[in-house]
Structures are given as structure tokens and as C-alpha cells.
Amino acid sequence: MEFVMSIVIGILFMAAVYLILSRSLLRIILGTGLLSHGAHLLILTMGGLGGSAPPVLVDGVTDLVDPLPQALILTAIVISFGVTAFMLVLFYRTYEEHKTDNMNLMKGNDEHD
Amino acid sequence: MINLLVFPIILPFFFAIVLLFFRENVRMQRIVTVIGLALSFISALMLLSKVKSDGVQALTLGSWPAPFGITMVSDMISILLVTTSILITFFVVIYSFSAIDTEREKFYYYPSILFMLTGVNGAFTTGDIFNMFVFFEVLLIASYVLIVLGGEKKQLRESIKYVLVNVISSALFVVAIALLYSVVGTVNMADIAVKITEIGQPGIVTVIAVLFLLVFGIKGALFPLYFWLPGSYAAPPMPVLALFGTLLTKVGIYAITRTYTLFFIHDLATTHELLLVLSLITIVAGCIGALAYFDLKQIMIYNIIITVGVILFGVAQMNKAGMEGAMFYLIHDMLIKGALFLLIGIIITITGTSSLRKMGGLMKTYPSLGWMYLIAALGLAGIPPLSGFVAKLLIVKGAFESGNVWGSIIILASSLIVLLSVMRIFIYAFWGKPVELPVAKSDSYQKMMIPAVLLVVLSIAYGIGSEWLVPYMTDAADVLLNPSIYIDAVLKE
């Protein structure tokens, strides 16, 4: 199972890198979303996918799921949702202000504004 | 186990929430912010004296025993950084009263600063690697707000890059934590250190170490990863730049220092050699940038990058003198950079431009500003008896002790270039033929000078009083060089 998961994670990262390197702002946001999903799945996989019982101590049950990765993912997912929402608004405002969603047209520094 | 540990984190957070209810009332916002920061500063000072007398303090939230619950740890280095951060924020907030326009003040400027301080203090204090990620996100999200606040065309353009770089580095941070968790099976920092010692740092842990260096290097602006910094930091107004330059990169440096002195200490030949080389290239690259620009902001921003290199070079020595020097330099740099950024903000306000070519002759009209700038600039370069001298002396001593002669030479040469770059500002802005100045309100000039002068005085006191600070710095270096002090404080409650 871990083997399949690592391939899935790899595909997610690959797609994320491809999307982030594109020019359109919307694709970049989708890319960061995929990147964080890949990272979250990685936490889950790295904690080990074994265990059949929920992580509650009951007499006679020894094959427990590791609860920590789930707690970590919950935190990380909330954070990435928040940041993605912020980015959507930010990119929309930038699109309105600059009249473009092409990253190539947003180069420049102080000297040539 | 004392709850005092969380006060410097909770107090700014609490006051930020209170501020959210008075959006339109600028006067109220200012007063509440100052009160909140003053209270946090007092609690940080109490904690400082506690750590000084009783050693490393640890608090397990919810009283779960150490490796299971979330731990907060306050040792000398973290509490020194917390205290200095609150102090800098305090001065920057006072400076903002006259340097930030009311529109921004009405749009959650002060709450964002306080939220950022919450994240910064939390990242310094936490004893749990995943919790450090959470606090990093707290400070990053607040910094996203600060960098884009005002919504100018330039700000929007640069904040996209800033947000994007940080989102990617955060994802890598999660990846690094996941890999570390799969090897050691814990996220408590003291416990990680114990587990890595038990398995003797195999190759995979060294790979994770480099991954951590990559993540924190992006946040702390280490050599190949600082590309985003000059553009992004130049976009927001001056007080925000001062906060970012003094606090945010220091969090990255702290995180590298912490992980590289606590976890990854069994393969110094790979990890610390890499850190050493990267820090030296950072210094060189920063020097090139500092000399290349004719723009006040850019020169100072590249000086931030030089500092990152110098501090991490001290850390990479892994001996007493180098580590003490790095700690001295860390605090010195926060104070003196804060002062310089505030002074440069005043120059930009007076002249209405940040280009050196368009200014001159300020010495005749604003002599006190000139003198203050001169003192701060000399302090930055490390002229004795001003602050920075002792720090650099110790770093160079440490480097000679561990045989890095070339490294020491680069550090010493970089001091000269730093001096040259800041003196160039002095010469172009204050000497020469006076140029026509836009009519400035002398009232706001006086108000902006007060926090800047206070910070300069503070940094002078830091330099002259470094004799009294030695015990504190020794304590900080001791904890970093002997991880067992930290581990015992956390695990043997």
C-alpha cells in the first residue's frame, strides 16, 4: 500500500511543479494546492499505513492506528486551505490592478516600474 | 514548569483580537497596541531573569508528559530573541504612528503586526518541530497581510512572488517533517535529538538535514535561496520593511541554528561544512548586491543578506567562541538594523525618494539625523566600542580556532564592504550640494526621530555594556553546544 501511495505522491508533486512553473496565475494556485496535498499524503504515508483499530485504548486491541499523522495533517490542511483562499483573493486583486494574469508581464523592480 | 513561558506569545495574540473590534478608531488602536507590547515586554523580561537564574524552562501544554504533548521550551537564546523582537516591534509601532498613513492604520495594520509577533515569539519558544511549522505559518500569514496592505500596484506584484515562495517552502517544510517522523517516530525536538543520537545519524538523516537547510534557508535568505528577498522586501512601506528585515530572517536563522545544534550533530563534515560554504557565499553575494545599487532600500536589504551569512558562519564553527559571537551578533543586528531602517525611512520621508542620486546636503538642514545615521552606520560595520565589534571579534576568533582562515578573512573583508556601502549612503545623502527638498512636516520628523534615536542609544548601550552581557551569551552558547542541557530540561521533568 505504501508503494502505491508513494507513486501517487510522486505524481501529485510532478503535476504541482508543472503547474507552478506555468505563466497563468490560476494554474499556479492549482499547483500549490496539489503540492500541499502531496505533502499531506506524504505525512500520512510516512506514519505507516498499518493498524486496523481506531487509536483508542481498549482491552485486548493491539493493532492501533498511529493517530499523530492524522492530527498533523488536520492542522496542515486547515493552514493550506486558509492560504489558498488568501491567494485566490490576492491573485484576483492583482489581475484587476495589472489587467493581466500572465506572470511574464509582472517582472520588474523599482527602477522600471 | 511555569506558565510565564506562553505569556510573550499569548499577550500579543490577545491584544490583536481586542484590536479587531476597534477598526475605525485609530487612537484606540495605537494605545491598545502600545499597552499590549509593554505588557509582553515585561513578561519577557521576567522570563529572562527566570531563565538566567533557574536554567532552561520547559512547559508541557495540558500536562501531557514530554514526548507526547506539545512542549514549550525557553532557553537563553530563545528568550533573548523573544525579548529583542518585542522591543523592536515596540519601537517600530511608535514609529508607525507618523510613518504609516491612516488608511492603512484603519485596515488592521496594528493587529497584523501583533499577530506576526505572536508567530515570531511562538517559533522562538516552541519545542516541537511541527508546532514550529504552525507558528511559521502564523507569522507568514500575518506577513502576507502586511506586505500587501495598501494594495499598490508594486506591492501586489511583489507579494505574489513572496506568497508563492513561502507557500512552496512551507510545503517542503511539511515534507521534511514527514520524512523525519518516518525515521525517528516523534516530533518533539528533544526526543528527536535523543533518537537521532541512538541511531547515530545514518545517511537518510543527513539528507533530511539538508532538506531542513533548504526550507529554513528560503525563509532566512541563505545564498542560492535569497533571490526573492530584495524585490519583495522593497515593496511595502518602511516600517513594515524594518519589521521584516529584523524579525523574519532571524526566525529562519534561529531555526537553522536550533536544528543544526540539536539534531544533526553527528555528521559535521557534511552538514556543517555545507552550512559554512553557503554562509560564506551568502556574504560575498550580499556584498556584491550592497555595492551594486544606488537605492537606499536595496543597499540595506543586501546588508540583511550579509548578516545572515555572518551569523550562520559563526554557528557553523560549532565551538564556544564562534557560537557566542553568533549570539552576540544576532541580537546586535536586530537592534542596529532596526535603528538604521528607521533612520533611512526618515531620510526617504524627507527627500521623497529612495534613490541616492537625487539627494544631497542633508547635513546642513538635518544635522542630528546625520550624526545618528553616522553612529548607527559605524555600529553596523563593527567599529569599537560600538556594538558589533565584540561579536565579530568572537566569530573570527572561533573561525581561527577551528582553522577556517579564509573564512575569517572573508568576514573581515565583508566588514569593510559593509562600512563602504553604508558610508556611501552617508556621503551621497548628507554631503555635497543641498538639493531642493519637498516641504515636509517638521512635526512628523520630530516624532519619527524619537524611536530611531532611542534604538541607536540602545545599540550603543549594547556595545558599551557587552561586558555585562557576556554571561547571558555564554549561557545561550552553552545550551547550543551541549544539547544535553536542553534535552534534560524537556524530558526529565
Side-chain angles (χ1 to χ4, degrees):
Chain A
M1 191 58 186
E2 273 91 352
F3 181 70
V4 181
M5 285 295 273
S6 48
I7 291 176
V8 171
I9 294 164
I11 292 174
L12 278 174
F13 270 57
M14 184 184 71
V17 170
Y18 174 74
L19 284 172
I20 288 174
L21 289 178
S22 62
R23 273 174 296 184
S24 156
L25 286 178
L26 207 54
R27 279 164 180 264
I28 292 174
I29 297 183
L30 290 176
T32 57
L34 288 184
L35 187 70
S36 51
H37 284 322
H40 302 154
L41 278 180
L42 189 72
I43 296 189
L44 195 65
T45 316
M46 285 295 144
L49 293 172
S52 53
V56 182
L57 274 181
V58 185
D59 283 341
V61 179
T62 47
D63 193 18
L64 299 170
V65 173
D66 185 357
L68 193 62
Q70 303 182 11
L72 301 186
I73 290 179
L74 180 61
T75 317
I77 285 177
V78 172
I79 289 171
S80 87
F81 274 176
V83 174
T84 309
F86 178 82
M87 273 167 70
L88 279 168
V89 178
L90 172 69
F91 284 20
Y92 180 66
R93 276 285 290 137
T94 315
Y95 168 72
E96 276 191 335
E97 198 80 21
H98 285 262
K99 304 276 184 290
T100 174
D101 73 335
N102 188 340
M103 283 297 270
N104 270 0
L105 301 176
M106 288 187 210
K107 289 180 194 165
N109 55 28
D110 274 356
E111 268 106 54
H112 40 88
D113 234 338
Chain B
M1 190 158 101
I2 43 165
N3 287 327
L4 190 60
L5 222 58
V6 287
F7 272 60
I9 306 168
I10 297 236
L11 281 175
F13 187 65
F14 173 74
F15 280 94
I17 292 174
V18 170
L19 284 181
L20 294 180
F21 295 105
F22 309 101
R23 191 168 83 92
E24 289 294 321
N25 191 342
V26 173
R27 212 178 134 77
M28 187 75 175
Q29 294 247 349
R30 292 175 175 178
I31 294 171
V32 174
T33 313
V34 168
I35 293 174
L37 285 172
L39 286 179
S40 325
F41 186 62
I42 292 169
S43 68
L45 281 183
M46 283 164 69
L47 186 56
L48 181 65
S49 69
K50 178 85 181 160
V51 171
K52 179 68 195 141
S53 59
D54 297 356
V56 181
Q57 299 291 317
L59 169 71
T60 46
L61 299 181
S63 294
W64 287 82
F68 304 113
I70 291 174
T71 322
M72 292 297 194
V73 189
S74 206
D75 57 352
M76 195 40 106
I77 163 164
S78 90
I79 185 59
L80 278 176
L81 284 167
V82 165
T83 316
T84 322
S85 307
I86 297 174
L87 197 65
I88 299 282
T89 315
F90 187 78
F91 285 117
V92 172
V93 162
I94 293 176
Y95 183 81
S96 307
F97 292 168
S98 36
I100 286 278
D101 44 295
T102 335
E103 286 304 304
R104 283 194 169 93
E105 283 183 304
K106 280 183 181 169
F107 251 92
Y108 306 114
Y109 174 72
Y110 296 116
S112 306
I113 287 184
L114 289 180
F115 279 130
M116 198 174 87
L117 189 65
T118 309
V120 169
N121 286 348
F124 286 146
T125 313
T126 181
D128 178 302
I129 192 77
F130 192 79
N131 213 23
M132 185 186 262
F133 162 73
V134 175
F135 276 119
F136 262 87
E137 287 303 313
V138 170
L139 75 92
L140 282 176
I141 291 171
S143 76
Y144 298 158
V145 175
L146 282 176
I147 199 173
V148 83
L149 196 64
E152 292 163 20
K153 219 171 169 181
K154 187 176 75 175
Q155 276 185 310
L156 285 166
R157 188 187 67 206
E158 294 304 332
S159 48
I160 284 188
K161 296 164 194 167
Y162 178 75
V163 172
L164 202 56
V165 164
N166 279 304
V167 165
I168 293 169
S169 86
S170 296
L172 283 178
F173 197 175
V174 176
V175 168
I177 292 173
L179 292 174
L180 192 60
Y181 182 71
S182 79
V183 178
V184 296
T186 175
V187 285
N188 185 297
M189 278 156 72
D191 205 24
I192 292 175
V194 172
K195 295 274 164 58
I196 290 182
T197 313
E198 275 170 13
I199 56 175
Q201 193 165 353
I204 179 76
V205 178
T206 307
V207 173
I208 296 169
V210 176
L211 195 55
F212 269 112
L213 186 64
L214 187 75
V215 171
F216 298 138
I218 293 178
K219 319 239 187 219
L222 204 58
F223 160 63
L225 310 164
Y226 70 82
F227 56 90
W228 55 275
L229 192 138
S232 301
Y233 276 22
M238 212 56 201
V240 179
L241 169 58
L243 271 183
F244 281 18
T246 46
L247 301 188
L248 292 195
T249 49
K250 302 300 176 292
V251 181
I253 294 174
Y254 166 78
I256 293 178
T257 313
R258 180 59 83 203
T259 49
Y260 271 62
T261 53
L262 192 59
F263 307 167
F264 311 118
I265 46 172
H266 307 288
D267 192 7
L268 297 184
T270 317
T271 50
H272 287 63
E273 195 68 24
L274 181 69
L275 185 61
L276 189 86
V277 172
L278 284 183
S279 61
L280 284 177
I281 307 177
T282 310
I283 296 174
V284 175
C287 287
I288 294 171
L291 290 182
Y293 280 90
F294 256 88
D295 183 280
L296 284 175
K297 279 186 180 180
Q298 292 295 336
I299 293 175
M300 287 314 297
I301 287 170
Y302 275 100
N303 267 307
I304 300 176
I305 295 171
I306 299 175
T307 308
V308 174
V310 174
I311 297 172
L312 288 179
F313 179 78
V315 171
Q317 303 308 321
M318 286 299 272
N319 58 19
K320 197 164 187 316
M323 203 63 87
E324 249 176 60
M327 292 308 108
F328 251 115
Y329 202 81
L330 197 53
I331 308 293
H332 144 78
D333 186 70
M334 288 171 87
L335 294 173
I336 199 85
K337 279 273 162 53
L340 270 175
F341 273 122
L342 297 190
L343 288 169
I344 278 181
I346 297 173
I347 298 178
I348 292 177
T349 316
I350 290 172
T351 55
T353 172
S354 69
S355 166
L356 276 181
R357 290 204 175 86
K358 290 177 194 153
M359 47 180 83
L362 286 179
M363 202 63 189
K364 286 217 175 69
T365 36
Y366 297 96
S368 56
L369 178 64
W371 284 111
M372 278 302 140
Y373 179 81
L374 185 67
I375 294 172
L378 291 177
L380 181 71
I383 308 282
L386 297 165
S387 66
F389 172 70
V390 186
K392 238 169 211 171
L393 187 71
L394 280 170
I395 290 180
V396 169
K397 189 178 156 215
F400 273 118
E401 273 172 17
S402 51
N404 291 311
V405 180
W406 278 105
S408 323
I409 292 172
I410 292 179
I411 295 268
L412 292 174
S414 82
S415 302
L416 288 179
I417 295 183
V418 168
L419 186 63
L420 178 62
S421 72
V422 282
M423 273 304 133
R424 234 167 34 137
I425 296 181
F426 184 74
I427 290 169
Y428 278 91
F430 289 98
W431 287 358
K433 219 163 54 197
V435 292
E436 198 79 16
L437 294 177
V439 188
K441 284 179 288 175
S442 64
D443 185 35
S444 80
Y445 167 72
Q446 298 291 353
K447 276 185 194 156
M448 284 159 92
M449 271 306 269
I450 296 169
V453 170
L454 283 177
L455 257 182
V456 173
V457 170
L458 207 64
S459 76
I460 296 173
Y462 181 83
I464 295 172
S466 45
E467 180 80 36
W468 291 288
L469 291 165
V470 169
Y472 292 88
M473 300 301 164
T474 317
D475 275 14
D478 273 349
V479 176
L480 291 176
L481 289 172
N482 305 314
S484 56
I485 302 176
Y486 185 95
I487 295 167
D488 287 351
V490 177
L491 293 180
K492 286 180 190 152
E493 196 68 78

